[in-house]
Amino acid sequence: GAGVSQTPSNKVTEKGKYVELRCDPISGHTALYWYRQSLGQGPEFLIYFQGTGAADDSGLPNDRFFAVRPEGSVSTLKIQRTERGDSAVYLCASSSGTGGDIYGYTFGSGTRLTVV
Amino acid sequence: TQLLEQSPQFLSIQEGENLTVYCNSSSVFSSLQWYRQEPGEGPVLLVTVVTGGEVKKLKRLTFQFGDARKDSSLHITAAQPGDTGLYLCAGVRDSNYQLIWGAGTKLIIKP
């Protein structure tokens, strides 16, 4: 597609529920990143995919968070047993680089997750 | 401790004034990127600087990378209300793909 598409744009869920957030990167971009952003802060790295594999998942806060990218394109971020502290904007970005891409990323508009 | 320190955190000025936003670190970066983010949207890349001492201009915006590649600045001339937004700097260290982000500067330009 022309840009990075994230769905849903907003998600309200009850504490303890399971949620899935979807990212559709720019066509042909091999690198995909998930970030989390709290109000008034810069994005916080969660996970980086190169193709189908998670090249670095060191930013995932705990084992309730998991992400997949089975065909090297669309990615899904999955959060189990959601907690109120998970509330944030979840951003996805893609690039054509192979890691160490110094030229910048294209971000989606994000999914605003609210856990009540 | 924030690896990339942005200042000021918040700036509200009148239309037509000039301003400078700073992004400082004690670490060396391979490149430094500036993004602008509006409410409800993801960050949008404005510019990437990669060479120490590099200066790039984007209309009324001037970006500079420090000689030692540890700091950067964004200068806006004759600010317009449309410049309002959150300005974020982010750096790439060596071959590490992870962007190190500043906390952002919230800029409001009043008509």
Side-chain angles (χ1 to χ4, degrees):
Chain A
V4 178
S5 176
Q6 289 189 249
T7 55
S9 55
N10 279 285
K11 176 71 176 177
V12 180
T13 190
E14 292 182 347
K15 180 175 177 293
K17 298 288 189 182
Y18 167 84
V19 296
E20 289 190 352
L21 312 179
R22 176 189 167 106
C23 173
D24 198 343
I26 290 174
S27 179
H29 276 191
T30 56
L32 184 146
Y33 310 80
W34 282 99
Y35 285 87
R36 178 168 70 174
Q37 187 176 27
S38 300
L39 192 64
Q41 297 294 319
E44 171 194 10
F45 170 78
L46 295 177
I47 187 169
Y48 156 57
F49 286 92
Q50 185 58 241
T52 60
D56 185 351
D57 63 359
S58 63
L60 296 178
N62 51 59
D63 61 7
R64 295 187 297 105
F65 288 74
F66 189 71
V68 296
R69 194 186 185 198
E71 297 179 357
S73 178
V74 171
S75 176
T76 304
L77 178 66
K78 308 180 181 193
I79 310 175
Q80 298 177 320
R81 305 183 304 279
T82 51
E83 300 177 357
R84 292 197 180 89
D86 299 335
S87 297
V89 175
Y90 288 81
L91 294 165
C92 177
S94 72
S95 78
S96 57
T98 56
D101 184 350
I102 65 172
Y103 295 106
Y105 305 81
T106 302
F107 281 86
S109 295
T111 294
R112 180 175 297 279
L113 175 66
T114 303
V115 182
V116 298
Chain B
T1 302
Q2 196 85 24
L3 197 57
L4 265 177
E5 298 283 348
Q6 267 191 257
S7 61
Q9 291 182 312
F10 178 79
L11 185 59
S12 178
I13 61 172
Q14 293 294 134
E15 179 178 4
E17 293 184 14
N18 301 331
L19 66 107
T20 302
V21 176
Y22 299 93
C23 183
N24 295 308
S25 177
S26 57
S27 299
V28 176
F29 291 94
S30 303
S31 76
L32 208 135
Q33 302 163 17
W34 284 92
Y35 292 81
R36 178 167 165 258
Q37 186 175 23
E38 296 191 52
E41 299 294 327
V44 175
L45 180 68
L46 296 175
V47 79
T48 300
V49 285
V50 297
T51 305
E54 181 176 4
V55 177
K56 281 192 174 178
K57 293 194 174 185
L58 188 67
K59 296 183 181 178
R60 294 176 292 99
L61 277 61
T62 301
F63 304 85
Q64 185 161 7
F65 202 12
D67 290 341
R69 293 185 290 130
K70 293 181 179 180
D71 53 80
S72 181
S73 64
L74 157 60
H75 183 78
I76 301 179
T77 304
Q80 305 290 315
D83 296 329
T84 292
L86 179 68
Y87 288 81
L88 293 156
C89 66
V92 178
R93 297 175 64 187
D94 299 327
S95 59
N96 187 335
Y97 50 81
Q98 279 194 35
L99 284 179
I100 308 296
W101 291 87
T105 294
K106 186 171 184 180
L107 177 63
I108 295 176
I109 310 299
K110 295 176 285 189

